[in-house]
Each structure stands twice: as C-alpha cells, then as structure tokens.
C-alpha cells in the first residue's frame, strides 16, 4: 500500500473514549505510521484533506446473509463483502441459514474455504444452533467451535425450545462462543397465521407479542443456564428493550443489536421498484413509540450493536408477487442512521455500536480481528467517512446484487470514503481521485 496522509480528521476511538479533532494520520505499509499535527508527508504519499472527515476503527457487522454457497443468484460472497466494505465494514459475521444450513463440520469447512477465496473483508462464519435450524436437535456445537465457527445462530428461524436453548448456551459458553437468536416465538406466529403454510419465515402476520415472548423465554433460558452468552438479534419493540435493560441490570450476560431499518423506518413500505408490491422484513417495522424506545436503547447503551441483517433477494418477475422478507442493507447502515435527525447527535454512540460493542458481543475468541482502536503502529483497520457527505443507492454506487432496499434511490447522508481491513485497502471511493495504486 502506498502512503496516505489524511489531514485534519476527527478521530473517533470508542475504546480510548476520546474524539480527537483535527489530527493528521499517516498510513504506510498497511499500518498507522504516525498520528499528530502538521505531519510532513514522505515523498510519493497521497495527501487527502476533506473537511469534517471522521476516522474510526473499521466497522464489524454482526448480521450478514451472504447467500453463498447455495443461492448465488441472490448474492455472492464477493458482492456482499464488497458492499460491506463500501459501507465501512472491515469484517462481517455470516449467518448460518444458507441452503443447506451450516449445521455440520463438513458444511462449515466448505463455507470457510469458499469465504476465504472470495471475501473482500474477513468473514466470521456463524454455525447453526440446531440441525436444519429445525429446533429439534442441537448441532455439534463443540466440534463446530473447534472447526472455526465464530458463534451460533438459527437466524431466520426460532424453533428452539427453552430447554434446548439452555443447553446450547452451556455448550457454546464452554467453547467461549455466543448464541444469537432471532427472537420471534414461532408458536405465537403460527397462531397468528393459521393458513400461513409450512415456512415460518414467509408468514405475513408477525405480532409484537411473538418478539416479546421470545425475548422473555430466551432470558429465562440464560438465567437457568447460569453460563454462556446470549445475543438478541434485530430488536424491534419497546418491551424487548425494557426486558433487555432489566436483564442487564440483573447482571445477565446478554447483548442485543438493532438494525438501521428498524430505527428509522415505519411500515408498511412500498417497493420502490414496483408500484404494488410491499417491502417487508422479519420482525416487521413498527410505529413511533417502538422506534423511540430503540433510539433510547441505543443512546443509553442498552442496545449494544447496530447490525445490518443484510438480506438480499432477487426481484420477483411479476410486479404483483410478494418479495421475500428482508432488506439488502449492509452498504447503507451508517448512512441510514445518520440520515435520521436522531442519528447525527449520537455519532459517537453509533460508532461504538459499529465497532467496539459488536466485537465484545463475539467474546474473547473474536481474536482474529484487530482491536477496535486507531493507534500508531497498528495495522490499518479503519473506516474514513464524511458524516455530511450525500450519496444515492443506485446502479453504479450499489455493490450488492440485492436491490431490495427501502433506501434504494433515496438520497442518504453519511458517505464512506475508504475502508481498510487488517492492513489492506478494502474500499476506496473512486470519485475522490485517490490513486488506485493504493489498492
Ligand atoms: Zn433474523
């Protein structure tokens, strides 16, 4: 990597807890070579000065659906990780609900090898908690941990009963890994969708009670296991935030994430590409009171992480046909949050929720990633963004194969300029005129 001098940037370091203004940062040979004021660039260094620019540790997405191997027409490892890098992410956690799911050591090894050969930024691969995500029998958690799983989740499904979740927490906890759950109670969902068909992910009616009941039950499982770490994915209701707050007050080892879309959008949404089709997600978008509670949870640290739940799907050919639920969103996480009037004032909290806090969710075995810090001598693992910069998700700027985004073709505030991951350039915004030699 050629040298790059970033002039007068604002440094946001959630671990050190200070936001330094107007510091120069010299990146050379994949490392943060020097930090300070008035650094004189060595010959051949590219110098970039852009007012208001922020440098933070590279983001980590706890919740990405890569779709590959299995459904490469929806998304590829290469496109999802390129989209992630363009969204400021220096690493992503890939969910296990591939076709077939990652519920065996052989399938995990296949995914790890495939990820390594195509990834733009490191992919931490989650394995399933239960065989076929069916909630009947636990997957071989110990063996999956030994083979390199970064955590466990049946995300998309939540068929595990409380007793099986308790056992999973114990086994995963003994291996140092977290169990993440998609908190929607499938019995409550089934009662609400008597003619919904076989696949719970496609059921249309998703009452809030399904989430509240699942959060309560998972917290009970954690209480009775007495060990392990539980992570609640994509919270959407005020009751969930309150239950989480109480559980943390009680000292339980629980963490949670929220997505940008649950924070900033109210449903139902029209698909921007088709007049008569709705864009939906699981759990659904809620009303104002819930979104206010999510913002409060993010602001006071009750909610640990911002995660994308990046869920690319192909467009149905028939404009009247329903889209599969989920949004392709990893590239727009930061921007969607900063485009909301409530996001800007929380910038430091938002950065922490994209960096140090998600890393802590993974626990001590997330050690393959650098510390969420920006310090002299460290490998360049950082994100450069302009909180006021504006862009539009559209062909040309959007790197995911999935255009099923509620932000599609909407102007967004918060522009990622560059992402460095473990000492390498993962993304550079070309129109800035930065030299591609850097890559
Ligand atoms: Zn989910």
């Amino acid at each position: 990597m050629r040298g790059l001098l970033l002039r007068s940037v604002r440094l946001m370091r959630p671990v050190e807890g200070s936001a330094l203004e107007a510091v120069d940062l010299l990146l050379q040979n994949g490392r943060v070579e020097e930090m300070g004021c008035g650094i004189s660039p060595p010959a051949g260094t590219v110098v970039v000065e852009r007012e208001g620019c922020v440098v933070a540790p590279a983001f980590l997405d706890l919740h990405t659906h890569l779709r590959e191997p299995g459904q490469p027409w929806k998304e590829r490892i290469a496109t999802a990780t390129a989209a992630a890098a363009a969204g400021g992410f220096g690493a992503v956690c890939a969910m296990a609900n591939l076709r077939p799911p990652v519920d065996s050591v052989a399938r995990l090894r296949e995914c790890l090898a495939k990820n390594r050969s195509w990834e733009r930024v490191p992919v931490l691969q989650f394995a399933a908690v239960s065989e076929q995500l069916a909630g009947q029998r636990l997957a071989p958690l110990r063996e999956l941990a030994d083979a390199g799983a970064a955590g466990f989740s049946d995300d998309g499904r939540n068929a595990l009963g409380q007793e099986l979740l308790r056992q999973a927490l114990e086994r995963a906890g003994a291996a140092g890994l977290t169990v993440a759950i998609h908190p929607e109670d499938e019995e409550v969902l089934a009662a609400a969708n008597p003619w919904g068909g076989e696949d719970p992910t496609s059921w249309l009616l998703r009452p809030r009670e399904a989430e509240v009941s699942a959060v309560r039950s998972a917290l009970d499982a954690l209480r009775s296991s007495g060990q392990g770490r539980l992570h609640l994915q994509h919270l959407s209701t005020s009751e969930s935030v309150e239950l989480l707050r109480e559980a943390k007050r009680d000292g339980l080892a629980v963490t949670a994430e929220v997505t940008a879309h649950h924070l900033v959008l109210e449903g139902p949404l029209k698909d921007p590409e088709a007049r008569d089709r709705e864009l939906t997600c699981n759990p659904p978008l809620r009303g104002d009171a819930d979104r206010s509670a999510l913002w409060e949870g993010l602001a006071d640290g009750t909610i640990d992480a911002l995660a994308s739940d990046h869920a690319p799907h192909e467009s149905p050919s028939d404009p009247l046909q329903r889209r599969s639920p989920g949004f392709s969103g990893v590239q727009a996480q930061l921007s969607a949050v900063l485009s909301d009037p409530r996001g800007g004032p929380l910038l430091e909290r938002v950065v922490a929720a994209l960096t140090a806090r998600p890393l802590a969710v993974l626990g001590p075995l997330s050690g393959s990633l650098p510390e969420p810090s920006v310090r002299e001598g460290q490998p360049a693992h950082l994100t450069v963004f302009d909180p006021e910069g504006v862009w539009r998700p559209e062909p040309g700027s959007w790197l995911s194969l999935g255009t099923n985004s509620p932000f599609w073709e909407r102007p967004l505030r918060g522009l990622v300029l560059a992402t460095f991951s473990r000492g390498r350039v993962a993304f550079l915004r070309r129109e800035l005129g930065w030299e591609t030699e850097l890559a």
Side-chain angles (χ1 to χ4, degrees):
M1 178 172 121
R2 254 181 89 187
L4 173 68
L5 179 64
L6 300 164
R7 279 251 189 257
S8 296
V9 294
R10 182 176 174 200
L11 207 53
M12 299 201 115
R13 299 187 297 177
V15 173
E16 290 87 345
S18 62
L20 298 182
E21 302 288 339
V23 69
D24 291 355
L25 206 72
L26 176 65
L27 309 176
Q28 221 166 14
N29 303 319
R31 310 189 80 76
V32 178
E33 187 70 27
E34 199 179 342
M35 277 167 51
C37 290
I39 294 175
S40 35
T45 303
V46 178
V47 180
V48 172
E49 185 158 11
R50 186 175 166 121
E51 211 189 317
C53 226
V54 173
V55 173
F59 305 159
L60 165 65
D61 190 14
L62 286 175
H63 193 150
T64 313
H65 297 277
L66 297 183
R67 306 296 188 214
E68 196 185 20
Q71 296 173 299
W73 59 92
K74 287 181 187 266
E75 184 72 293
R76 312 296 299 259
I77 295 161
T79 50
T81 54
F89 292 94
V92 299
C93 294
M95 291 298 106
N97 65 337
L98 294 167
R99 305 281 172 85
V102 190
D103 61 358
S104 69
V105 169
R107 179 66 168 154
L108 174 63
R109 290 210 170 109
E110 181 192 357
C111 292
L112 291 173
K114 189 119 185 168
N115 290 343
R116 267 194 296 272
S117 58
W118 291 107
E119 65 192 17
R120 176 75 64 95
V121 297
V123 173
L124 306 176
Q125 182 65 55
F126 270 51
V129 184
S130 68
E131 291 178 1
Q132 296 295 313
L133 317 175
Q136 300 300 308
R137 286 161 49 96
L138 289 184
L141 305 189
R142 175 81 241 180
E143 291 80 356
L144 287 162
D146 289 345
F152 297 102
S153 177
D154 282 349
D155 181 59
R157 296 290 312 276
N158 186 23
L160 278 181
Q162 207 180 95
E163 171 54 23
L164 224 46
L165 176 57
R166 189 189 66 73
Q167 289 176 27
L169 285 163
E170 284 180 7
R171 287 186 204 177
L177 297 181
T178 301
V179 176
I181 69 152
H182 171 123
E184 283 190 295
D185 184 323
E186 291 194 354
E187 285 178 20
V188 177
L189 293 179
N193 295 273
W195 298 282
E198 289 292 295
D199 177 10
T201 63
S202 70
W203 294 345
L204 208 49
L205 299 173
R206 311 191 78 91
R208 60 192 299 112
E209 294 74 30
E211 178 174 305
V212 180
S213 155
V215 167
R216 196 171 273 127
S217 165
L219 290 172
D220 285 346
L222 180 63
R223 263 190 202 95
S224 63
S225 97
Q227 55 175 304
R229 291 193 311 272
L230 172 71
H231 179 68
L232 304 169
Q233 296 175 295
H234 45 52
L235 293 187
S236 73
T237 73
S238 57
E239 294 95 321
S240 306
V241 179
E242 200 40 51
L243 286 166
L244 172 67
R245 196 174 274 126
E246 280 167 23
K248 286 190 162 186
R249 221 177 278 145
D250 293 346
L252 289 190
V254 59
T255 53
E257 69 189 34
V258 65
T259 69
H261 50 266
H262 286 108
L263 280 169
V264 309
L265 296 174
E266 187 166 353
L269 294 171
K270 283 291 169 216
D271 184 339
E273 288 191 330
R275 212 172 288 271
D276 301 309
R277 195 160 63 192
E278 275 183 15
L279 275 177
T280 59
C281 58
N282 300 340
L285 302 171
R286 312 274 182 200
D288 266 345
D290 287 310
R291 291 188 297 131
S292 294
L294 295 174
W295 279 108
E296 269 169 42
L298 185 68
D300 71 12
T302 301
I303 293 177
D304 299 81
L306 258 173
S308 74
D309 193 2
H310 179 75
H313 290 294
E314 69 278 41
S315 256
S317 47
D318 176 355
L320 293 176
Q321 201 188 334
R322 214 182 139 227
R323 275 220 198 232
S324 301
F327 302 146
S328 177
V330 72
Q331 195 178 338
Q333 280 303 284
L334 174 74
S335 319
V337 170
L338 294 186
S339 298
D340 189 290
R342 290 170 285 196
L346 288 181
L347 184 57
E348 282 196 49
R349 186 61 83 173
V350 167
V351 166
L354 287 165
T355 56
R357 300 289 297 276
L359 197 70
V361 168
L362 295 180
L365 295 187
S366 63
S368 60
L369 294 177
E371 277 180 69
S373 174
V374 183
R375 281 208 306 263
E376 275 183 19
Q378 277 201 329
H381 188 76
L382 45 89
T383 298
V384 186
F385 66 94
D386 175 358
E388 299 299 326
V390 174
W391 68 290
R392 265 160 62 99
E394 58 195 359
S397 69
W398 191 252
L399 303 182
S400 166
L401 292 188
T403 58
N404 54 321
S405 165
F407 304 110
W408 186 247
E409 294 187 337
R410 278 174 48 169
L412 294 175
R413 186 175 300 279
L415 182 71
V416 173
L417 305 171
T419 306
F420 301 84
S421 178
R422 295 199 296 194
R424 296 174 56 186
V425 176
F427 172 73
L428 274 184
R429 189 160 288 281
R430 221 180 297 136
E431 56 267 37
L432 295 179
W434 296 8
E435 294 184 26
T436 47
E437 271 179 70
L438 283 170

